[in-house]
Amino acid sequence: MRKEKLEELKNAIQALTIVSLEKEEMVKKEEESEGFLQVEKYRCCLENGKTFFRDKLLKGGKSGNATVILPITEEGNVILTIQPRVFTKEKVSVELPAGYIENEEDAYTAAKRELEEETGYQPKELKKLISYYQDQGCAESLITCFYARDCKKIGNQHLDKDEYIDYYECSYEELLELMQLGYIKDAGSLLTITTYQYQKCIRRETNV
């Protein structure tokens, strides 16, 4: 990988790395429902008469359905995001653009919106790659992954007040190298990239 591109990424990571983390006191019981994460308890009954109990995790009172986008520009480069991830070992993450699906949105609309909000890029076309459950043991959140073709810069980022996100452009070959070097570790990004790579190989073999 080009030395200057790797140095650019390291500088962006350094700028968004968390340097201090303190655990707050536990919130009072009556305040727990106001947090982003909530837990619902369920009694489950099987056809055979057996019963068991499970906790369901909600995010912002919703299922937590989300999208992950692999954006490739008109020049063939990839756009990545860099942002603090408080509870990871590194405290900062290099990943694909992603975000939650809002009420009344479908996955395609959410993917286009999140890409533009986080990077300022807009795709000529979005193609679905795969969907997967993030953690089916305690949540119903379904993640839909997309390939965004011929992305073009149309404006600035539009981030929420508590979002701190930088974006980083590299070649597709450098993207694969960043995976091998361990810079990209989140499941959504890895599955999206490997699915795209697999489908790319299948198309190449089919055309031979």
Side-chain angles (χ1 to χ4, degrees):
M1 187 172 186
R2 290 174 292 165
K3 183 178 179 180
E4 63 271 18
K5 288 299 296 183
L6 192 55
E7 192 64 29
E8 178 188 346
L9 179 60
K10 288 181 178 179
N11 289 337
I13 290 173
Q14 180 64 35
L16 292 174
T17 298
I18 294 168
V19 295
S20 176
L21 182 63
E22 297 181 3
K23 186 177 180 180
E24 294 287 339
E25 292 183 6
M26 292 294 291
V27 296
K28 296 179 181 179
K29 189 71 175 179
E30 60 268 21
E31 295 175 344
E32 288 181 352
S33 61
E34 298 178 2
F36 181 68
L37 298 177
Q38 300 94 40
V39 176
E40 294 180 343
K41 296 185 179 296
Y42 288 85
R43 180 175 183 270
C44 310
C45 303
L46 300 179
E47 182 69 26
N48 62 11
K50 302 291 185 180
T51 62
F52 58 96
F53 296 87
R54 290 290 185 270
D55 291 341
K56 177 181 177 182
L57 182 65
L58 299 176
K59 299 179 180 181
K62 295 178 287 189
S63 65
N65 293 338
T67 64
V68 181
I69 310 102
L70 171 58
I72 300 182
T73 68
E74 295 175 319
E75 296 76 26
N77 292 328
V78 176
I79 305 298
L80 295 169
T81 61
I82 305 163
Q83 57 184 306
R85 292 300 188 189
V86 178
F87 304 112
T88 64
K89 179 181 178 181
E90 297 80 7
K91 307 302 182 189
V92 65
S93 179
V94 180
E95 55 194 65
L96 295 179
Y100 293 111
I101 300 173
E102 301 293 345
N103 291 334
E104 309 303 325
E105 277 187 328
D106 56 32
Y108 287 89
T109 303
K112 184 177 179 180
R113 174 184 55 77
E114 285 290 345
L115 177 60
E116 187 174 337
E117 287 179 356
E118 293 191 356
T119 69
Y121 279 81
Q122 189 177 86
K124 184 176 181 180
E125 183 181 15
L126 276 172
K127 289 188 175 182
K128 179 181 173 181
L129 293 171
I130 196 171
S131 292
Y132 70 96
Y133 286 105
Q134 188 175 49
D135 192 344
Q136 65 268 40
C138 64
E140 65 178 77
S141 52
L142 184 67
I143 314 301
T144 305
C145 308
F146 292 92
Y147 156 52
R149 183 173 68 86
D150 291 340
C151 294
K152 183 177 181 180
K153 182 75 171 174
I154 63 166
N156 298 321
Q157 293 173 296
H158 300 285
L159 303 177
D160 295 336
K161 64 179 182 178
D162 59 348
E163 279 189 310
Y164 303 93
I165 301 175
D166 197 0
Y167 60 92
Y168 172 81
E169 183 173 345
C170 64
S171 69
Y172 185 78
E173 290 72 23
E174 289 169 335
L175 169 72
L176 299 180
E177 191 171 351
L178 289 174
M179 288 176 57
Q180 295 176 346
L181 292 172
Y183 279 93
I184 301 173
K185 294 183 178 179
D186 68 288
S189 295
L190 293 173
L191 183 59
T192 302
I193 295 167
T194 53
T195 300
Y196 173 78
Q197 183 71 4
Y198 171 75
Q199 293 186 6
K200 186 178 178 182
C201 292
I202 292 297
R203 290 194 298 269
R204 185 182 299 121
E205 292 177 0
T206 302
N207 291 334
V208 173

